[in-house]
Each structure stands twice: as structure tokens, then as C-alpha cells.
Amino acid sequence: MVKEANDLSIPTTHRCLIVGNYCHDVLIKDDVVIAESLGGAVSFISAVLDGLSISSDYISKVGTDFVYSVNHRPITSASSKTTVFHAYFSTETKRQDRILKRISACDPVAPSDLPKSNFDFGLAVGVGGEILPETLERMIDICKVVFVDIQALIRVFDPVDGTVNLVHLDQTGFGPLLKRIGFLKASAEEAPYVDVEEARKWCCVVVTNGKEGCAVYTKDEELPVAPFSAFQVDPTGAGDSFLGGLVAGLVHGLNVPDAALLGNFFGSLTVGQIGLPKFDSRLVQRVKDEVLKRRLQCSGSHEKKEDGPKRLKPSDHEEFQAALNAAKTVAAQSIKECKWDLHSSPGALEQPIRNGQQRLLLNPVCEEPINSVDSKP
């Protein structure tokens, strides 16, 4: 069934299907490995969705060499190794971006790997070329609303060294499916590889833009959504955490701009940590409380429903932003406590923490303060 273009109404049930492979991420600064971590968009998204109590099914593939403990068991492939990415940073260039290389790639997710049941939300979030056109088409068939991260569709990999490059969506086999998805997410760097003006005719397009926050595009309106301040330590997975926050907000009944604000919030938390983030339980509970309060506030609003397309930004949107900013002070204090514990424990940085998804070293890969985020994988 083809969904109506720009229909931003969200189902009330809360069942999600997340499709994309787990990875091994290696962060390298000035030719020195500074961190190893569980990677893949699914790992960052699950950190957000699990924290906010969003029930989801995950379809991911790894090799027999997969070394991490995860909450959602992947499919183990006997014929290929786990996808591995190396992210290279340099002190000399002082760049916020990085050179990303795919060192190995696990098997793609086939349509037959997907469940035979139906879902309210589906997320196509591949990072290593594991999402096939036929797999996305199957997701569209079994999910009421499908979210697509454009990186899953437009990444190509150098056959010699695996360097990640981008191609225009028109050069892939995914173009004809654009009219059938609900949301398309892209970073500012990726947006030129899709015709946003054309895409917004068929789906809601969300473009993240680092310290500028993000912008929501529908058929009739464009809305900027404010960023949250952050000190960037590692940009890896920030865009994935953004998407997790966006979807979590929609699942919990928020309107699209408020959900995008929640996405900016989780993205800003992610860049403050190396590798897969850990969200303080006090912070998560406070965010849950604020989301519930916001949902009840909006449901009690007397705004006319038919005014929605003409007035995408809801009333009191800034109040919700202020509430999330207040909640973030909990996270800031938690990070300070964490750093103190690491410094005071001589052996804390020497041992890999496999069940914690990462080995942390206190060498930030990017040391310049920024305001919000989006990066990969």
C-alpha cells in the first residue's frame, strides 16, 4: 500500500523494525589507534530506543568474529566477517570530518531475513552497503511508516582501500522507492546527493547540519530546529543517535518538530563520548518525563488540526527545548564524574570493555567545541 505523500500522522502503536548491520569501529588519530568500539547505526539507535523503552525488532548480520555483547542478537553469517570501519583523524588538518574506510563487509540483509509480521515503524539504517533495493521494498510493504537514512542508499566503497564515497541517489536502484517512504534523513554533506526539493514532495525530509541543528522539509513548509550545545570528542554515530531520538519522539506521540528537537538532543550527547554513548539513567528518566509532559501538553492543545500543514512549528516548542536543556545538566555532571573515575583508576584505560561496547582512551579525536552534530557511521 502506497502511503499518502507528506502524511505526518503517526500510528499510536509502538512497534519498530530496525534493519542494518553491527560493525567493528576503529578510531585512528595521527596513525595511532585511540579507540575501538561497537559500531553500526543500529548500535547507536538501539542505545536511544532501549533507553526510552521503545520495543523494537533488530535485523543485523555479523561474522563469527564479532566480539561484542549486544542487547539484540544479530544473525551470524558463516560466509563473511563482521563489517569493519576505520575512521582516520588528523591533528594537523584540524578538520571536524574524517576519512572513513570500510575494511571488510558482512553479508547484506536480504528480504527473506525480515520478519513475516507487520510493523508500525521501519528504519533502514545500513552503513556498509547492506541494505538492498529489494530489502527496502520489502520493508515498505510490511511497515506503515519507513524512515531511511540516506547513507544506506548512496554510499559506495573504493575497491582497493575501501574509502567511503557518495553517489547521487539517481545512480542507485533506490530512486523509484522514494515516493513510498515516510521520512528521509540526510546530513548537510549528503543532501546534495538527493534532490531535496523533489523528495519533499513525497516524504518528510530532515537535513542535519552540525552546529546549526537541523531542518524539516515537508511539501509546503521548511522549519529549522534548534541545536544543543556540545563539546565534540568523537562525531561517530551522532547522526544515528539523532535518528533514534527523532523516531523515539514520534513513537511517543510528539509532533515532527518536537521529535526532531529530541533527535538534536541525543546527537549532542553522543559527540561528547568516544564510540558508543552511555546515557545516564537519571538523564533518560528526566527526558522520559519531559516527553510525556510535552505529549500531554500537545494533546490538550486547542489548535485546529487543519492548520497543521500551514503551521508546522507547534506552540511552546521553545519551552520543550528549555526543558531538555535543563535535563542535559544531569548528563554534564555525569560525564564529569565519569572522567574523574577514569583518571583516578590507573588501569581503567588499559582493558577492552567488550560487554560495554567500547574501549575508551581519553584522547579526543576532535577537540574543538561545536553546538550540535551529525556524522557517521
Side-chain angles (χ1 to χ4, degrees), residues 43-81:
S43 62
F44 290 87
I45 289 171
S46 65
V48 176
L49 298 188
D50 290 351
L52 295 178
S53 305
I54 307 293
S55 175
S56 305
D57 288 5
Y58 290 78
I59 306 299
S60 304
K61 287 187 175 180
V62 299
T64 55
D65 60 336
F66 187 60
V67 298
Y68 295 103
S69 173
V70 294
N71 293 332
H72 308 280
R73 181 177 297 180
I75 300 169
T76 301
S77 171
S79 61
S80 64
K81 293 183 178 181

PDB file of all heavy atoms in Angstrom, residues 43-81:
ATOM      1  N   SER A  43      23.580   0.133  16.495  1.00  0.00           N
ATOM      2  CA  SER A  43      24.063   0.173  17.872  1.00  0.00           C
ATOM      3  C   SER A  43      23.754   1.509  18.527  1.00  0.00           C
ATOM      4  O   SER A  43      23.342   1.568  19.694  1.00  0.00           O
ATOM      5  CB  SER A  43      25.568  -0.116  17.915  1.00  0.00           C
ATOM      6  OG  SER A  43      26.299   0.860  17.202  1.00  0.00           O
ATOM      7  N   PHE A  44      23.920   2.606  17.782  1.00  0.00           N
ATOM      8  CA  PHE A  44      23.626   3.928  18.327  1.00  0.00           C
ATOM      9  C   PHE A  44      22.119   4.139  18.477  1.00  0.00           C
ATOM     10  O   PHE A  44      21.654   4.717  19.463  1.00  0.00           O
ATOM     11  CB  PHE A  44      24.228   5.013  17.433  1.00  0.00           C
ATOM     12  CG  PHE A  44      25.727   5.061  17.476  1.00  0.00           C
ATOM     13  CD1 PHE A  44      26.491   4.277  16.633  1.00  0.00           C
ATOM     14  CD2 PHE A  44      26.375   5.879  18.386  1.00  0.00           C
ATOM     15  CE1 PHE A  44      27.880   4.306  16.677  1.00  0.00           C
ATOM     16  CE2 PHE A  44      27.766   5.924  18.445  1.00  0.00           C
ATOM     17  CZ  PHE A  44      28.517   5.125  17.585  1.00  0.00           C
ATOM     18  N   ILE A  45      21.365   3.682  17.500  1.00  0.00           N
ATOM     19  CA  ILE A  45      19.907   3.827  17.558  1.00  0.00           C
ATOM     20  C   ILE A  45      19.332   3.011  18.712  1.00  0.00           C
ATOM     21  O   ILE A  45      18.455   3.478  19.448  1.00  0.00           O
ATOM     22  CB  ILE A  45      19.282   3.426  16.213  1.00  0.00           C
ATOM     23  CG1 ILE A  45      19.613   4.489  15.158  1.00  0.00           C
ATOM     24  CG2 ILE A  45      17.767   3.247  16.334  1.00  0.00           C
ATOM     25  CD1 ILE A  45      19.229   4.096  13.749  1.00  0.00           C
ATOM     26  N   SER A  46      19.836   1.796  18.899  1.00  0.00           N
ATOM     27  CA  SER A  46      19.309   0.962  19.988  1.00  0.00           C
ATOM     28  C   SER A  46      19.633   1.564  21.351  1.00  0.00           C
ATOM     29  O   SER A  46      18.851   1.412  22.302  1.00  0.00           O
ATOM     30  CB  SER A  46      19.865  -0.462  19.887  1.00  0.00           C
ATOM     31  OG  SER A  46      21.269  -0.491  20.089  1.00  0.00           O
ATOM     32  N   ALA A  47      20.777   2.251  21.466  1.00  0.00           N
ATOM     33  CA  ALA A  47      21.107   2.896  22.743  1.00  0.00           C
ATOM     34  C   ALA A  47      20.045   3.923  23.118  1.00  0.00           C
ATOM     35  O   ALA A  47      19.676   4.065  24.288  1.00  0.00           O
ATOM     36  CB  ALA A  47      22.486   3.561  22.659  1.00  0.00           C
ATOM     37  N   VAL A  48      19.529   4.637  22.107  1.00  0.00           N
ATOM     38  CA  VAL A  48      18.484   5.630  22.354  1.00  0.00           C
ATOM     39  C   VAL A  48      17.132   4.953  22.579  1.00  0.00           C
ATOM     40  O   VAL A  48      16.437   5.237  23.562  1.00  0.00           O
ATOM     41  CB  VAL A  48      18.388   6.623  21.184  1.00  0.00           C
ATOM     42  CG1 VAL A  48      17.233   7.601  21.399  1.00  0.00           C
ATOM     43  CG2 VAL A  48      19.698   7.387  21.011  1.00  0.00           C
ATOM     44  N   LEU A  49      16.752   4.047  21.673  1.00  0.00           N
ATOM     45  CA  LEU A  49      15.423   3.429  21.764  1.00  0.00           C
ATOM     46  C   LEU A  49      15.287   2.562  23.005  1.00  0.00           C
ATOM     47  O   LEU A  49      14.236   2.571  23.657  1.00  0.00           O
ATOM     48  CB  LEU A  49      15.147   2.610  20.507  1.00  0.00           C
ATOM     49  CG  LEU A  49      15.106   3.372  19.182  1.00  0.00           C
ATOM     50  CD1 LEU A  49      14.625   2.456  18.042  1.00  0.00           C
ATOM     51  CD2 LEU A  49      14.214   4.606  19.265  1.00  0.00           C
ATOM     52  N   ASP A  50      16.326   1.799  23.340  1.00  0.00           N
ATOM     53  CA  ASP A  50      16.254   0.978  24.551  1.00  0.00           C
ATOM     54  C   ASP A  50      16.146   1.859  25.790  1.00  0.00           C
ATOM     55  O   ASP A  50      15.381   1.562  26.712  1.00  0.00           O
ATOM     56  CB  ASP A  50      17.499   0.089  24.666  1.00  0.00           C
ATOM     57  CG  ASP A  50      17.539  -1.020  23.629  1.00  0.00           C
ATOM     58  OD1 ASP A  50      16.526  -1.218  22.925  1.00  0.00           O
ATOM     59  OD2 ASP A  50      18.587  -1.682  23.509  1.00  0.00           O
ATOM     60  N   GLY A  51      16.916   2.957  25.792  1.00  0.00           N
ATOM     61  CA  GLY A  51      16.867   3.851  26.942  1.00  0.00           C
ATOM     62  C   GLY A  51      15.502   4.464  27.144  1.00  0.00           C
ATOM     63  O   GLY A  51      15.074   4.687  28.273  1.00  0.00           O
ATOM     64  N   LEU A  52      14.798   4.726  26.029  1.00  0.00           N
ATOM     65  CA  LEU A  52      13.478   5.343  26.106  1.00  0.00           C
ATOM     66  C   LEU A  52      12.338   4.317  26.019  1.00  0.00           C
ATOM     67  O   LEU A  52      11.194   4.669  25.773  1.00  0.00           O
ATOM     68  CB  LEU A  52      13.330   6.384  24.990  1.00  0.00           C
ATOM     69  CG  LEU A  52      14.281   7.582  25.116  1.00  0.00           C
ATOM     70  CD1 LEU A  52      14.090   8.534  23.937  1.00  0.00           C
ATOM     71  CD2 LEU A  52      14.079   8.322  26.432  1.00  0.00           C
ATOM     72  N   SER A  53      12.700   3.051  26.228  1.00  0.00           N
ATOM     73  CA  SER A  53      11.708   1.958  26.340  1.00  0.00           C
ATOM     74  C   SER A  53      10.872   1.792  25.077  1.00  0.00           C
ATOM     75  O   SER A  53       9.655   1.601  25.142  1.00  0.00           O
ATOM     76  CB  SER A  53      10.784   2.195  27.551  1.00  0.00           C
ATOM     77  OG  SER A  53      11.534   2.348  28.737  1.00  0.00           O
ATOM     78  N   ILE A  54      11.541   1.844  23.909  1.00  0.00           N
ATOM     79  CA  ILE A  54      10.865   1.606  22.636  1.00  0.00           C
ATOM     80  C   ILE A  54      11.099   0.163  22.228  1.00  0.00           C
ATOM     81  O   ILE A  54      12.229  -0.240  21.952  1.00  0.00           O
ATOM     82  CB  ILE A  54      11.400   2.536  21.526  1.00  0.00           C
ATOM     83  CG1 ILE A  54      11.354   3.994  21.969  1.00  0.00           C
ATOM     84  CG2 ILE A  54      10.638   2.321  20.233  1.00  0.00           C
ATOM     85  CD1 ILE A  54       9.976   4.552  22.154  1.00  0.00           C
ATOM     86  N   SER A  55      10.044  -0.632  22.190  1.00  0.00           N
ATOM     87  CA  SER A  55      10.159  -2.032  21.803  1.00  0.00           C
ATOM     88  C   SER A  55      10.442  -2.134  20.309  1.00  0.00           C
ATOM     89  O   SER A  55       9.711  -1.568  19.488  1.00  0.00           O
ATOM     90  CB  SER A  55       8.869  -2.777  22.149  1.00  0.00           C
ATOM     91  OG  SER A  55       8.915  -4.109  21.688  1.00  0.00           O
ATOM     92  N   SER A  56      11.505  -2.865  19.941  1.00  0.00           N
ATOM     93  CA  SER A  56      11.907  -2.936  18.541  1.00  0.00           C
ATOM     94  C   SER A  56      12.472  -4.310  18.213  1.00  0.00           C
ATOM     95  O   SER A  56      13.018  -5.001  19.077  1.00  0.00           O
ATOM     96  CB  SER A  56      12.979  -1.874  18.226  1.00  0.00           C
ATOM     97  OG  SER A  56      12.548  -0.581  18.576  1.00  0.00           O
ATOM     98  N   ASP A  57      12.338  -4.694  16.942  1.00  0.00           N
ATOM     99  CA  ASP A  57      12.993  -5.879  16.402  1.00  0.00           C
ATOM    100  C   ASP A  57      14.176  -5.411  15.565  1.00  0.00           C
ATOM    101  O   ASP A  57      14.052  -4.475  14.773  1.00  0.00           O
ATOM    102  CB  ASP A  57      12.041  -6.689  15.522  1.00  0.00           C
ATOM    103  CG  ASP A  57      10.975  -7.418  16.324  1.00  0.00           C
ATOM    104  OD1 ASP A  57      10.911  -7.221  17.550  1.00  0.00           O
ATOM    105  OD2 ASP A  57      10.208  -8.183  15.717  1.00  0.00           O
ATOM    106  N   TYR A  58      15.317  -6.071  15.709  1.00  0.00           N
ATOM    107  CA  TYR A  58      16.531  -5.684  15.008  1.00  0.00           C
ATOM    108  C   TYR A  58      16.972  -6.817  14.082  1.00  0.00           C
ATOM    109  O   TYR A  58      17.090  -7.968  14.510  1.00  0.00           O
ATOM    110  CB  TYR A  58      17.656  -5.370  15.996  1.00  0.00           C
ATOM    111  CG  TYR A  58      17.430  -4.102  16.785  1.00  0.00           C
ATOM    112  CD1 TYR A  58      16.549  -4.077  17.869  1.00  0.00           C
ATOM    113  CD2 TYR A  58      18.075  -2.918  16.448  1.00  0.00           C
ATOM    114  CE1 TYR A  58      16.324  -2.918  18.592  1.00  0.00           C
ATOM    115  CE2 TYR A  58      17.852  -1.746  17.155  1.00  0.00           C
ATOM    116  CZ  TYR A  58      16.989  -1.760  18.226  1.00  0.00           C
ATOM    117  OH  TYR A  58      16.762  -0.594  18.929  1.00  0.00           O
ATOM    118  N   ILE A  59      17.224  -6.475  12.826  1.00  0.00           N
ATOM    119  CA  ILE A  59      17.750  -7.432  11.871  1.00  0.00           C
ATOM    120  C   ILE A  59      19.131  -6.957  11.444  1.00  0.00           C
ATOM    121  O   ILE A  59      19.279  -5.982  10.708  1.00  0.00           O
ATOM    122  CB  ILE A  59      16.829  -7.587  10.637  1.00  0.00           C
ATOM    123  CG1 ILE A  59      15.403  -7.936  11.071  1.00  0.00           C
ATOM    124  CG2 ILE A  59      17.383  -8.641   9.687  1.00  0.00           C
ATOM    125  CD1 ILE A  59      15.278  -9.243  11.829  1.00  0.00           C
ATOM    126  N   SER A  60      20.143  -7.627  11.955  1.00  0.00           N
ATOM    127  CA  SER A  60      21.531  -7.270  11.693  1.00  0.00           C
ATOM    128  C   SER A  60      22.326  -8.533  11.430  1.00  0.00           C
ATOM    129  O   SER A  60      21.992  -9.608  11.937  1.00  0.00           O
ATOM    130  CB  SER A  60      22.151  -6.538  12.894  1.00  0.00           C
ATOM    131  OG  SER A  60      21.407  -5.396  13.249  1.00  0.00           O
ATOM    132  N   LYS A  61      23.407  -8.383  10.655  1.00  0.00           N
ATOM    133  CA  LYS A  61      24.280  -9.513  10.384  1.00  0.00           C
ATOM    134  C   LYS A  61      25.703  -9.199  10.834  1.00  0.00           C
ATOM    135  O   LYS A  61      26.188  -8.081  10.687  1.00  0.00           O
ATOM    136  CB  LYS A  61      24.266  -9.864   8.899  1.00  0.00           C
ATOM    137  CG  LYS A  61      22.983 -10.533   8.439  1.00  0.00           C
ATOM    138  CD  LYS A  61      23.083 -11.026   7.005  1.00  0.00           C
ATOM    139  CE  LYS A  61      21.822 -11.795   6.609  1.00  0.00           C
ATOM    140  NZ  LYS A  61      21.907 -12.293   5.213  1.00  0.00           N
ATOM    141  N   VAL A  62      26.364 -10.231  11.375  1.00  0.00           N
ATOM    142  CA  VAL A  62      27.766 -10.146  11.767  1.00  0.00           C
ATOM    143  C   VAL A  62      28.444 -11.451  11.369  1.00  0.00           C
ATOM    144  O   VAL A  62      27.795 -12.437  11.021  1.00  0.00           O
ATOM    145  CB  VAL A  62      27.918  -9.924  13.292  1.00  0.00           C
ATOM    146  CG1 VAL A  62      27.273  -8.616  13.727  1.00  0.00           C
ATOM    147  CG2 VAL A  62      27.311 -11.099  14.071  1.00  0.00           C
ATOM    148  N   GLY A  63      29.775 -11.460  11.430  1.00  0.00           N
ATOM    149  CA  GLY A  63      30.520 -12.688  11.201  1.00  0.00           C
ATOM    150  C   GLY A  63      30.777 -13.422  12.495  1.00  0.00           C
ATOM    151  O   GLY A  63      30.441 -12.951  13.589  1.00  0.00           O
ATOM    152  N   THR A  64      31.412 -14.576  12.386  1.00  0.00           N
ATOM    153  CA  THR A  64      31.744 -15.344  13.582  1.00  0.00           C
ATOM    154  C   THR A  64      32.816 -14.651  14.410  1.00  0.00           C
ATOM    155  O   THR A  64      33.062 -15.027  15.563  1.00  0.00           O
ATOM    156  CB  THR A  64      32.234 -16.750  13.197  1.00  0.00           C
ATOM    157  OG1 THR A  64      33.336 -16.636  12.286  1.00  0.00           O
ATOM    158  CG2 THR A  64      31.114 -17.546  12.523  1.00  0.00           C
ATOM    159  N   ASP A  65      33.455 -13.637  13.834  1.00  0.00           N
ATOM    160  CA  ASP A  65      34.492 -12.880  14.545  1.00  0.00           C
ATOM    161  C   ASP A  65      33.938 -11.722  15.363  1.00  0.00           C
ATOM    162  O   ASP A  65      34.696 -10.959  15.954  1.00  0.00           O
ATOM    163  CB  ASP A  65      35.521 -12.336  13.544  1.00  0.00           C
ATOM    164  CG  ASP A  65      34.892 -11.410  12.501  1.00  0.00           C
ATOM    165  OD1 ASP A  65      33.667 -11.529  12.252  1.00  0.00           O
ATOM    166  OD2 ASP A  65      35.614 -10.577  11.916  1.00  0.00           O
ATOM    167  N   PHE A  66      32.625 -11.569  15.433  1.00  0.00           N
ATOM    168  CA  PHE A  66      32.003 -10.462  16.168  1.00  0.00           C
ATOM    169  C   PHE A  66      32.331 -10.595  17.646  1.00  0.00           C
ATOM    170  O   PHE A  66      32.141 -11.664  18.245  1.00  0.00           O
ATOM    171  CB  PHE A  66      30.489 -10.489  15.949  1.00  0.00           C
ATOM    172  CG  PHE A  66      29.756  -9.306  16.525  1.00  0.00           C
ATOM    173  CD1 PHE A  66      30.035  -8.019  16.102  1.00  0.00           C
ATOM    174  CD2 PHE A  66      28.758  -9.486  17.482  1.00  0.00           C
ATOM    175  CE1 PHE A  66      29.356  -6.924  16.606  1.00  0.00           C
ATOM    176  CE2 PHE A  66      28.059  -8.400  17.989  1.00  0.00           C
ATOM    177  CZ  PHE A  66      28.364  -7.117  17.559  1.00  0.00           C
ATOM    178  N   VAL A  67      32.829  -9.510  18.263  1.00  0.00           N
ATOM    179  CA  VAL A  67      33.393  -9.621  19.616  1.00  0.00           C
ATOM    180  C   VAL A  67      32.559  -8.958  20.702  1.00  0.00           C
ATOM    181  O   VAL A  67      32.914  -9.049  21.882  1.00  0.00           O
ATOM    182  CB  VAL A  67      34.823  -9.033  19.653  1.00  0.00           C
ATOM    183  CG1 VAL A  67      35.753  -9.806  18.737  1.00  0.00           C
ATOM    184  CG2 VAL A  67      34.821  -7.550  19.294  1.00  0.00           C
ATOM    185  N   TYR A  68      31.468  -8.290  20.351  1.00  0.00           N
ATOM    186  CA  TYR A  68      30.748  -7.508  21.345  1.00  0.00           C
ATOM    187  C   TYR A  68      29.471  -8.197  21.822  1.00  0.00           C
ATOM    188  O   TYR A  68      28.844  -8.974  21.087  1.00  0.00           O
ATOM    189  CB  TYR A  68      30.405  -6.126  20.796  1.00  0.00           C
ATOM    190  CG  TYR A  68      31.621  -5.282  20.523  1.00  0.00           C
ATOM    191  CD1 TYR A  68      32.096  -5.104  19.241  1.00  0.00           C
ATOM    192  CD2 TYR A  68      32.315  -4.682  21.575  1.00  0.00           C
ATOM    193  CE1 TYR A  68      33.230  -4.334  18.989  1.00  0.00           C
ATOM    194  CE2 TYR A  68      33.446  -3.920  21.343  1.00  0.00           C
ATOM    195  CZ  TYR A  68      33.897  -3.748  20.044  1.00  0.00           C
ATOM    196  OH  TYR A  68      35.018  -2.996  19.808  1.00  0.00           O
ATOM    197  N   SER A  69      29.089  -7.868  23.035  1.00  0.00           N
ATOM    198  CA  SER A  69      27.817  -8.309  23.590  1.00  0.00           C
ATOM    199  C   SER A  69      26.773  -7.226  23.330  1.00  0.00           C
ATOM    200  O   SER A  69      27.006  -6.051  23.644  1.00  0.00           O
ATOM    201  CB  SER A  69      27.960  -8.550  25.101  1.00  0.00           C
ATOM    202  OG  SER A  69      26.712  -8.833  25.692  1.00  0.00           O
ATOM    203  N   VAL A  70      25.637  -7.601  22.736  1.00  0.00           N
ATOM    204  CA  VAL A  70      24.606  -6.630  22.394  1.00  0.00           C
ATOM    205  C   VAL A  70      23.258  -7.097  22.934  1.00  0.00           C
ATOM    206  O   VAL A  70      23.046  -8.281  23.186  1.00  0.00           O
ATOM    207  CB  VAL A  70      24.514  -6.417  20.865  1.00  0.00           C
ATOM    208  CG1 VAL A  70      25.786  -5.764  20.346  1.00  0.00           C
ATOM    209  CG2 VAL A  70      24.270  -7.729  20.132  1.00  0.00           C
ATOM    210  N   ASN A  71      22.356  -6.151  23.100  1.00  0.00           N
ATOM    211  CA  ASN A  71      21.031  -6.470  23.632  1.00  0.00           C
ATOM    212  C   ASN A  71      20.151  -7.175  22.621  1.00  0.00           C
ATOM    213  O   ASN A  71      19.208  -7.876  22.994  1.00  0.00           O
ATOM    214  CB  ASN A  71      20.330  -5.186  24.099  1.00  0.00           C
ATOM    215  CG  ASN A  71      20.999  -4.559  25.305  1.00  0.00           C
ATOM    216  OD1 ASN A  71      21.625  -5.256  26.109  1.00  0.00           O
ATOM    217  ND2 ASN A  71      20.885  -3.245  25.444  1.00  0.00           N
ATOM    218  N   HIS A  72      20.431  -6.966  21.326  1.00  0.00           N
ATOM    219  CA  HIS A  72      19.590  -7.531  20.272  1.00  0.00           C
ATOM    220  C   HIS A  72      20.457  -8.444  19.410  1.00  0.00           C
ATOM    221  O   HIS A  72      21.317  -7.983  18.672  1.00  0.00           O
ATOM    222  CB  HIS A  72      18.971  -6.412  19.442  1.00  0.00           C
ATOM    223  CG  HIS A  72      18.270  -5.380  20.286  1.00  0.00           C
ATOM    224  ND1 HIS A  72      17.005  -5.575  20.797  1.00  0.00           N
ATOM    225  CD2 HIS A  72      18.677  -4.155  20.732  1.00  0.00           C
ATOM    226  CE1 HIS A  72      16.657  -4.512  21.515  1.00  0.00           C
ATOM    227  NE2 HIS A  72      17.659  -3.650  21.487  1.00  0.00           N
ATOM    228  N   ARG A  73      20.231  -9.729  19.528  1.00  0.00           N
ATOM    229  CA  ARG A  73      21.099 -10.718  18.910  1.00  0.00           C
ATOM    230  C   ARG A  73      21.064 -10.623  17.389  1.00  0.00           C
ATOM    231  O   ARG A  73      19.991 -10.639  16.778  1.00  0.00           O
ATOM    232  CB  ARG A  73      20.687 -12.120  19.340  1.00  0.00           C
ATOM    233  CG  ARG A  73      21.561 -13.225  18.741  1.00  0.00           C
ATOM    234  CD  ARG A  73      21.153 -14.585  19.245  1.00  0.00           C
ATOM    235  NE  ARG A  73      21.348 -14.694  20.690  1.00  0.00           N
ATOM    236  CZ  ARG A  73      21.054 -15.801  21.390  1.00  0.00           C
ATOM    237  NH1 ARG A  73      20.534 -16.846  20.768  1.00  0.00           N
ATOM    238  NH2 ARG A  73      21.264 -15.821  22.692  1.00  0.00           N
ATOM    239  N   PRO A  74      22.228 -10.532  16.749  1.00  0.00           N
ATOM    240  CA  PRO A  74      22.269 -10.467  15.283  1.00  0.00           C
ATOM    241  C   PRO A  74      22.265 -11.852  14.655  1.00  0.00           C
ATOM    242  O   PRO A  74      22.409 -12.869  15.340  1.00  0.00           O
ATOM    243  CB  PRO A  74      23.611  -9.769  15.026  1.00  0.00           C
ATOM    244  CG  PRO A  74      24.475 -10.213  16.169  1.00  0.00           C
ATOM    245  CD  PRO A  74      23.550 -10.325  17.362  1.00  0.00           C
ATOM    246  N   ILE A  75      22.114 -11.879  13.344  1.00  0.00           N
ATOM    247  CA  ILE A  75      22.259 -13.102  12.564  1.00  0.00           C
ATOM    248  C   ILE A  75      23.747 -13.307  12.305  1.00  0.00           C
ATOM    249  O   ILE A  75      24.431 -12.402  11.833  1.00  0.00           O
ATOM    250  CB  ILE A  75      21.512 -12.989  11.225  1.00  0.00           C
ATOM    251  CG1 ILE A  75      20.016 -12.752  11.460  1.00  0.00           C
ATOM    252  CG2 ILE A  75      21.731 -14.229  10.366  1.00  0.00           C
ATOM    253  CD1 ILE A  75      19.262 -12.355  10.193  1.00  0.00           C
ATOM    254  N   THR A  76      24.273 -14.473  12.629  1.00  0.00           N
ATOM    255  CA  THR A  76      25.686 -14.754  12.408  1.00  0.00           C
ATOM    256  C   THR A  76      25.887 -15.420  11.062  1.00  0.00           C
ATOM    257  O   THR A  76      25.306 -16.474  10.787  1.00  0.00           O
ATOM    258  CB  THR A  76      26.267 -15.647  13.516  1.00  0.00           C
ATOM    259  OG1 THR A  76      26.098 -15.000  14.785  1.00  0.00           O
ATOM    260  CG2 THR A  76      27.733 -15.918  13.290  1.00  0.00           C
ATOM    261  N   SER A  77      26.688 -14.797  10.224  1.00  0.00           N
ATOM    262  CA  SER A  77      26.982 -15.329   8.899  1.00  0.00           C
ATOM    263  C   SER A  77      28.223 -16.207   8.956  1.00  0.00           C
ATOM    264  O   SER A  77      29.261 -15.794   9.490  1.00  0.00           O
ATOM    265  CB  SER A  77      27.200 -14.183   7.902  1.00  0.00           C
ATOM    266  OG  SER A  77      27.685 -14.676   6.673  1.00  0.00           O
ATOM    267  N   ALA A  78      28.127 -17.394   8.397  1.00  0.00           N
ATOM    268  CA  ALA A  78      29.278 -18.291   8.369  1.00  0.00           C
ATOM    269  C   ALA A  78      30.166 -18.027   7.160  1.00  0.00           C
ATOM    270  O   ALA A  78      31.286 -18.543   7.082  1.00  0.00           O
ATOM    271  CB  ALA A  78      28.803 -19.742   8.343  1.00  0.00           C
ATOM    272  N   SER A  79      29.689 -17.190   6.240  1.00  0.00           N
ATOM    273  CA  SER A  79      30.403 -16.996   4.971  1.00  0.00           C
ATOM    274  C   SER A  79      31.151 -15.675   4.881  1.00  0.00           C
ATOM    275  O   SER A  79      31.873 -15.440   3.918  1.00  0.00           O
ATOM    276  CB  SER A  79      29.424 -17.087   3.802  1.00  0.00           C
ATOM    277  OG  SER A  79      28.419 -16.086   3.895  1.00  0.00           O
ATOM    278  N   SER A  80      30.998 -14.776   5.855  1.00  0.00           N
ATOM    279  CA  SER A  80      31.684 -13.484   5.785  1.00  0.00           C
ATOM    280  C   SER A  80      32.021 -12.984   7.180  1.00  0.00           C
ATOM    281  O   SER A  80      31.441 -13.423   8.170  1.00  0.00           O
ATOM    282  CB  SER A  80      30.823 -12.450   5.054  1.00  0.00           C
ATOM    283  OG  SER A  80      29.627 -12.199   5.773  1.00  0.00           O
ATOM    284  N   LYS A  81      32.976 -12.060   7.244  1.00  0.00           N
ATOM    285  CA  LYS A  81      33.372 -11.472   8.509  1.00  0.00           C
ATOM    286  C   LYS A  81      32.483 -10.277   8.857  1.00  0.00           C
ATOM    287  O   LYS A  81      31.761  -9.766   8.007  1.00  0.00           O
ATOM    288  CB  LYS A  81      34.834 -11.021   8.441  1.00  0.00           C
ATOM    289  CG  LYS A  81      35.837 -12.164   8.310  1.00  0.00           C
ATOM    290  CD  LYS A  81      37.261 -11.625   8.324  1.00  0.00           C
ATOM    291  CE  LYS A  81      38.271 -12.768   8.256  1.00  0.00           C
ATOM    292  NZ  LYS A  81      39.668 -12.261   8.285  1.00  0.00           N
TER     293      LYS A  81
END
